[in-house]
Amino acid sequence: MGADLLPFLSMVLVQVGYAGMNIISKLALDSGMNPFVMVAYRQIFATIIIIPFAYFLEWKTMPKITKHILFQIFISSILGATLNQCLYFVGLKYSTPTIACALNNLLPAITFVMALPFGMETVGIKRKSGQAKVLGTSLCVGGAMLMSFYKGSLINIGESSIHWRYAENIRQRNSSNEENTFLGPLLIVASCIAWAGWFIVQTKMSKAFSAPYTSSALMCFMASIQCLVIGAFEEQHIKEWSLASNIRVIASIYCVRP
């Protein structure tokens, strides 16, 4: 019984972790941290963390790194790290953690649709399994979009007795809320499309290069350079790159997802 519950509990913990990431990241963004700076630090920390695993676990056994593999890793760094995360965190800046979590549910549906032309997925509309895929995809997309874009009447569920004074102070200082009910969700959806493309490239690459730690380390290293260049153009004030604030350090490390 315990072994059967382990995958379920693991996925629940993953979702809790993503929810925490959205909340902590939103606080860092509300404190004035540039989303491009956050993404650059995130990739740098991810590279530092993953390199020891790649060296000690795969250095002697990994397949040969060819030009074709390097190109696939480069494409992965653009789609899954740079483009996906830049779009996501800019979108998070202009939306809320709840909307970001809801729109992440579009990822399986988008991946399914994008994988169809590559023959990685089949519909089989005449079979019950195919009909379930189509129905599940429609419900997933419809539910996420409804929650994100529909603005109905507020339901009064009372005020929470839990108050995080630090978060309240940040929100008060940033009283000019930059939420945009269209731009924020749109950017998050775009990040899901980039992430889905990363899954497709990774599926192809993993068949020829079965060294996940090494490929992740190279991907994060390439993404670090890309994000540093983008961040340098976007934020040219050195003081805005400071990690003196605790929430910025915590957000940059917490958000590491090689």
Side-chain angles (χ1 to χ4, degrees):
M1 185 66 177
D4 294 335
L5 285 175
L6 186 59
F8 170 77
L9 292 176
S10 299
M11 292 307 299
V12 170
L13 288 176
V14 168
Q15 294 304 315
V16 171
Y18 272 121
M21 181 198 75
N22 285 322
I23 294 171
I24 297 298
S25 300
K26 181 62 174 177
L27 286 174
L29 294 172
D30 285 346
S31 72
M33 189 175 191
N34 190 303
F36 296 102
V37 173
M38 179 186 291
V39 173
Y41 277 125
R42 179 180 183 178
Q43 296 306 326
I44 293 171
F45 286 134
T47 304
I48 294 172
I49 291 172
I50 201 75
I51 281 177
F53 290 93
Y55 180 79
F56 289 108
L57 297 179
E58 296 177 348
W59 181 255
K60 295 181 180 180
T61 59
M62 71 174 181
K64 182 180 179 181
I65 302 177
T66 62
K67 292 181 179 179
H68 182 65
I69 294 297
L70 274 178
F71 178 73
Q72 288 181 322
I73 294 175
F74 175 71
I75 297 298
S76 294
S77 70
I78 293 177
L79 292 176
T82 303
L83 190 58
N84 162 243
Q85 293 177 20
C86 285
L87 289 170
Y88 185 84
F89 284 104
V90 175
L92 179 61
K93 178 181 179 181
Y94 292 108
S95 60
T96 67
T98 302
I99 289 177
C101 286
L103 287 176
N104 265 332
N105 292 320
L106 289 174
L107 181 60
I110 294 174
T111 304
F112 171 68
V113 172
M114 290 180 62
L116 284 174
F118 297 95
M120 297 180 181
E121 292 284 356
T122 56
V123 178
I125 195 65
K126 294 182 179 181
R127 299 193 302 270
K128 289 185 177 180
S129 60
Q131 294 169 5
K133 287 181 181 180
V134 174
L135 179 61
T137 301
S138 302
L139 288 174
C140 178
V141 174
M145 301 301 284
L146 178 65
M147 181 176 180
S148 302
F149 292 103
Y150 175 73
K151 301 298 178 182
S153 302
L154 293 175
I155 300 176
N156 186 12
I157 59 175
E159 186 176 350
S160 173
S161 59
I162 301 174
H163 294 277
W164 186 6
R165 184 60 59 187
Y166 181 78
E168 291 178 353
N169 290 338
I170 287 179
R171 297 293 289 180
Q172 289 172 2
R173 289 201 304 267
N174 190 39
S175 56
S176 58
N177 199 347
E178 296 182 281
E179 290 179 12
N180 186 310
T181 56
F182 179 78
L183 179 61
L186 183 65
L187 292 174
I188 294 174
V189 171
S191 78
C192 289
I193 295 174
W195 199 357
W198 175 80
F199 277 121
I200 294 173
V201 175
Q202 282 290 300
T203 301
K204 292 285 188 180
M205 185 182 69
S206 61
K207 295 178 180 179
F209 189 75
S210 56
Y213 292 109
T214 302
S215 62
S216 295
L218 289 172
M219 182 187 72
C220 290
F221 175 72
M222 292 178 182
S224 297
I225 297 174
Q226 296 163 11
C227 292
L228 279 172
V229 172
I230 294 173
F233 276 102
E234 173 64 23
E235 184 55 77
Q236 299 177 7
H237 298 90
I238 299 298
K239 67 177 183 178
E240 296 300 329
W241 287 78
S242 172
L243 292 178
S245 172
N246 289 335
I247 192 63
R248 296 190 179 196
V249 177
I250 294 171
S252 298
I253 296 177
Y254 190 119
C255 293
V256 169
R257 176 179 54 79

